[in-house]
Amino acid sequence: MKSLIIDHCKAGICVNSALRLVISRGVKPIKAIDDAVVVTAGEPLVYVNDEQYNVLEGVMPLINLSICTSTALAITKISTGLRPYVFSSDVKELGDYALIPVISGGGGFIDDAGLLKGNEPVPIIKHYTYQAKLSEESVLVIRFLGDSSGLIEEVNKVYAMGYAGNVIIETDALTVLRNRRALRRLAPAILGIAVRGFKDLCTLRVVDVSNAVNAYRCRQCWIDYVGAGQIKTCPRCGGRVIELIKDMDKLRIINPEALLIKAQGELMHSRLTRPIILPLSWFMK
């Protein structure tokens, strides 16, 4: 049996957006974590039989791009509270499945590649500019290179000069994390953050395993219990746990609108720190 795992996660957490992509490419998982669910390094995303390995390996670059995209959007959303956006040219390799990581990360599109059809359940910006023109109806994009005081000054100048349109800040995901306080301060003045430079946020690996494990999360304690047993409540606080890894016959592949509602709930309960993983066997009688 093979397991696809998160090997490394620069931001501490990653957001899965691989399941629908994997299934669309002909991979038949045994167990899997659903899209929009927060995971961390070492945790499995899907389990497959050995004969499925070649199919899974063939789609790995797309899986990595998808998860890096949803992760960049989600950590921006969690850390600033602002709407994150991704340029459609950065995810065009995903084709129709570019929508899944954007939904999973709670984001929207800046459609610079004409990828979108216009009926997606997420915000789409088709007209934007990098220069403030008072008669221009496009969204103004301001690049942020790391000087937060300079960024606040630039945004203030734009509005002081009479610009009355929307502003989006363009930067990379790790710069967002380093400057989240300044960006939160700017929240009343900007529409959102366009995230770039995210394609190496996480790495994936396929490993051999003898058995598929179960995983349960206590959102209150931010602990994942992983192993062969089953639990319904957190051994630490007594609160209800959620099942992360499910048999495929228990996973319901919902439509994009329902996935969006699921993603919003997941992001609301998520933290920027890595969850602690504990062996489930410690708590089994």
Side-chain angles (χ1 to χ4, degrees), residues 12-16 35-40 70-71 73-81 104-106 217-224 242 244 262-275:
I13 59 170
C14 292
V15 174
N16 186 40
D35 293 326
V37 175
V38 170
V39 289
T40 192
S70 53
T71 298
L73 293 169
I75 63 177
T76 299
K77 178 76 172 178
I78 295 169
S79 60
T80 69
S104 298
R217 172 169 297 155
C218 175
R219 287 170 167 165
Q220 179 66 31
C221 300
W222 204 234
I223 290 176
D224 290 354
I242 58 171
L244 298 183
K262 173 181 172 59
Q264 290 169 341
E266 292 286 343
L267 290 172
M268 181 176 64
H269 290 100
S270 295
R271 307 179 192 176
L272 280 175
T273 57
R274 290 178 173 87

Side-chain angles (χ1 to χ4, degrees), residues 32-179:
I33 288 180
D34 201 358
D35 293 326
V37 175
V38 170
V39 289
T40 192
E43 293 189 318
L45 302 177
V46 297
Y47 289 97
V48 297
N49 288 324
D50 289 345
E51 60 269 19
Q52 290 281 302
Y53 172 68
N54 289 336
V55 185
L56 179 62
E57 187 181 40
V59 76
M60 286 279 284
L62 293 180
I63 295 173
N64 195 81
L65 173 59
S66 183
I67 293 176
C68 285
T69 303
S70 53
T71 298
L73 293 169
I75 63 177
T76 299
K77 178 76 172 178
I78 295 169
S79 60
T80 69
L82 290 158
R83 169 79 70 179
Y85 290 84
V86 64
F87 286 86
S88 61
S89 59
D90 287 338
V91 293
K92 62 183 179 182
E93 295 94 332
L94 295 173
D96 291 343
Y97 283 86
L99 183 62
I100 302 304
V102 172
I103 289 176
S104 298
F109 283 101
I110 297 177
D111 193 17
D112 61 330
L115 187 67
L116 288 307
K117 299 172 184 176
N119 58 350
E120 290 79 6
V122 296
I124 299 172
I125 295 171
K126 289 187 174 290
H127 303 289
Y128 65 97
T129 179
Y130 285 91
Q131 293 186 346
K133 299 177 182 178
L134 300 186
S135 60
E136 180 64 68
E137 294 181 357
S138 298
V139 173
L140 173 64
V141 179
I142 296 177
R143 289 193 175 102
F144 175 35
L145 303 177
D147 178 6
S148 58
S149 62
L151 175 64
I152 294 172
E153 183 177 339
E154 187 171 355
V155 172
N156 284 344
K157 284 181 179 178
V158 165
Y159 289 127
M161 292 171 60
Y163 179 72
N166 286 314
V167 170
I168 281 182
I169 304 302
E170 177 186 326
T171 190
D172 65 89
L174 295 181
T175 298
V176 169
L177 289 178
R178 289 192 296 267
N179 295 274

Side-chain angles (χ1 to χ4, degrees), residues 179-253:
N179 295 274
R180 52 185 178 270
R181 290 184 180 178
L183 291 168
R184 282 199 297 265
R185 183 183 172 197
L186 270 174
I190 60 178
L191 181 64
I193 300 174
V195 190
R196 308 202 90 154
F198 52 79
K199 295 185 180 181
D200 63 347
L201 273 180
C202 70
T203 56
L204 309 174
R205 184 158 58 101
V206 176
V207 297
D208 290 308
V209 293
S210 55
N211 294 295
V213 301
N214 298 322
Y216 302 88
R217 172 169 297 155
C218 175
R219 287 170 167 165
Q220 179 66 31
C221 300
W222 204 234
I223 290 176
D224 290 354
Y225 299 96
V226 178
Q230 293 184 335
I231 56 172
K232 293 184 179 180
T233 59
C234 174
R236 191 165 179 267
C237 72
R240 187 177 67 89
V241 297
I242 58 171
E243 186 178 15
L244 298 183
I245 303 171
K246 296 182 180 180
D247 295 333
M248 280 307 299
D249 58 2
K250 293 182 180 179
L251 276 170
R252 186 168 55 93
I253 305 300

